[in-house]
Amino acid sequence: MAAASRATRAPTHSSTRSRLAAALGTLLAVCVGLWLPCSAVAAGVACNQHEELCSRAYNSVTYISTHASFALTNQSQPTRPGTQYKSIKDQLDDGVRGLHLNIMQGATATDVSLCYPSCSVNDGGALLDTLRVVKGWLDANKNDVVTIFLEGAGTNASPSAVVKAFADSGIGKYALRGKPATWPTLGSLISDGTTLVVFVEDANVAAASAQGIFIPYPGTVLKLDGPFAGGAPWTCGPWGRTTESIMLIPHYVVQTAMYNGLVYKDMPYPFRLGVTNGYQLEYHAVTCRAGQSIWVNFMEVDFYDQGNVKTTALKLNSLPYAGDGADNFYPRFYDADDDLPQLMVSASAALRPSSRLTLAAITLLFGALRI
């Protein structure tokens, strides 16, 4: 009787298992079909070129960003001062994920130009044209998150004209709307199709977007002091951070120079870039990470393709790089050339040898430092 009872129940268990398997299969198919596989992105998918970055919050990743990204010059035969040797599309193709655009009023009230340090020195054309380039790149690169910084705290660009440029380019469809209470992961941003983050320095421009696609600097972006002329120290202030969750470090050298009969203070310094964009970049990043309570998010550089900028970003993100090894996974703390900026923890106290030893030890704990 017991045997007969067991024989009667057996098909019921088998049927239950079959239904459960079918349900799980359906759930998996739905997840894959919607591109929402339970943890934002599927295994094997790269976010900003690295699978390891998918699960990291947007503000726990270090990005390369280019100062005055549009201000191009020719490396071998420069006809005008500029901050970059490669186009914005080339920058994005090379792994740059932060673009700094200095906005100014164009020829008419509805035009916005990109100029550095003024339109008479380097006119990078219309904001609209650059946004169209970036939008086209985002169309073709669905698994990459790009950040735009609209620079100019007191720009004379019309806020409504800036909004119009974003609308006309079509790039707004990718924009994150409003500052989130907690920054999402790169994988979540990619799954949601919000692969563009826009920070705005000018308060009037920031307030102009009814869709909330402009996130104002105040309360969000901690922009450290800089840049500095050759021989002056880089510092890690301002101090007293309150609500900022994004750290931006200007890391480029400027000089006073004459162009077209006028003197400019913050002209690009296209010399000794192997040092500026080499070990000094690492030194600057690690020093300021030790002095601030948030992660180093954007390292803003001139001539990003010179020196070793990519390796520094990989190190800060704890990702492997060419020649990776325990003995070189930290900056080389030796004295820089006298004609280039030195590093200081604050504006009044230079780094002492004991401080350098402490910082060298800190670099070995990148994983533990990540917050």
Side-chain angles (χ1 to χ4, degrees):
M1 188 72 175
S5 178
R6 283 195 297 270
T8 301
R9 288 195 297 266
T12 302
H13 291 306
S14 176
S15 176
T16 300
R17 287 194 295 269
S18 298
R19 287 196 298 270
L20 179 59
L24 290 174
T26 301
L27 177 61
L28 178 61
V30 170
C31 285
V32 172
L34 293 177
W35 198 244
L36 297 172
C38 303
S39 60
V41 292
V45 173
C47 299
N48 282 28
Q49 301 181 336
H50 299 278
E51 184 180 353
E52 298 91 335
L53 298 181
C54 291
S55 60
R56 296 186 192 173
Y58 170 82
N59 66 331
S60 293
V61 177
T62 298
Y63 312 88
I64 301 170
S65 67
T66 48
H67 170 229
S69 310
F70 56 89
L72 305 183
T73 188
N74 187 289
Q75 184 174 8
S76 58
Q77 294 181 322
T79 57
R80 61 179 179 176
T83 59
Q84 308 298 330
Y85 293 136
K86 291 189 175 183
S87 70
I88 283 181
K89 183 181 183 304
D90 287 341
Q91 293 174 33
L92 293 170
D93 287 342
D94 285 347
V96 169
R97 292 296 176 265
L99 303 173
H100 296 259
L101 308 179
N102 303 66
I103 54 176
M104 297 184 181
Q105 183 64 53
T108 70
T110 60
D111 295 328
V112 181
S113 294
L114 302 178
C115 303
Y116 183 82
S118 71
C119 294
S120 62
V121 177
N122 194 308
D123 186 342
L127 170 64
L128 175 59
D129 292 338
T130 290
L131 293 179
R132 283 173 172 161
V133 170
V134 180
K135 192 263 184 183
W137 193 89
L138 290 173
D139 287 342
N141 296 270
K142 300 293 188 180
N143 293 329
D144 289 86
V145 176
V146 173
T147 301
I148 288 178
F149 295 86
L150 295 182
E151 304 283 8
T155 178
N156 62 355
S158 165
S160 61
V162 176
V163 172
K164 187 176 186 301
F166 273 79
D168 291 349
S169 68
I171 201 173
K173 72 175 187 178
Y174 291 116
L176 179 69
R177 282 164 166 70
K179 175 188 174 182
T182 301
W183 287 103
T185 64
L186 291 189
S188 294
L189 290 171
I190 290 167
S191 293
D192 293 342
T194 51
T195 52
L196 177 70
V197 180
V198 184
F199 294 116
V200 181
E201 199 166 15
D202 188 282
N204 293 325
V205 175
S209 170
Q211 290 76 32
I213 66 173
F214 298 154
I215 302 175
Y217 269 56
T220 305
V221 178
L222 178 64
K223 185 175 183 178
L224 299 192
D225 295 329
F228 295 90
W234 277 305
T235 67
C236 293
W239 308 100
R241 182 185 74 87
T242 55
T243 60
E244 295 86 358
S245 54
I246 301 294
M247 189 195 298
L248 166 61
I249 302 181
H251 181 87
Y252 50 93
V253 182
V254 294
Q255 61 178 328
T256 298
M258 180 176 289
Y259 184 74
N260 285 344
L262 298 175
V263 175
Y264 296 88
K265 292 177 60 179
D266 295 331
M267 295 288 269
Y269 185 82
F271 310 106
R272 311 300 293 276
L273 294 171
V275 175
T276 302
N277 289 351
Y279 75 87
Q280 282 204 347
L281 180 65
E282 297 183 29
Y283 191 6
H284 195 177
V286 175
T287 302
C288 294
R289 176 62 185 92
Q292 299 285 354
S293 59
I294 54 178
W295 193 248
V296 176
N297 298 118
F298 292 91
M299 296 297 297
E300 181 186 5
V301 298
D302 280 344
F303 310 106
Y304 80 95
D305 55 321
Q306 306 296 301
N308 207 6
V309 174
K310 288 185 179 180
T311 295
T312 298
L314 289 171
K315 288 182 180 182
L316 289 168
N317 284 322
S318 299
L319 295 171
Y321 60 94
D324 195 359
D327 58 335
N328 61 8
F329 198 72
Y330 52 88
R332 295 174 290 165
F333 293 102
Y334 51 78
D335 291 334
D337 296 303
D338 292 338
D339 62 338
L340 287 170
Q342 307 296 304
L343 259 291
M344 298 172 68
V345 172
S346 68
S348 59
L351 283 175
R352 295 179 292 276
S354 60
S355 300
R356 297 185 182 194
L357 290 174
T358 300
L359 289 172
I362 288 174
T363 62
L364 297 177
L365 301 175
F366 275 125
L369 282 173
R370 188 178 305 282
I371 59 175

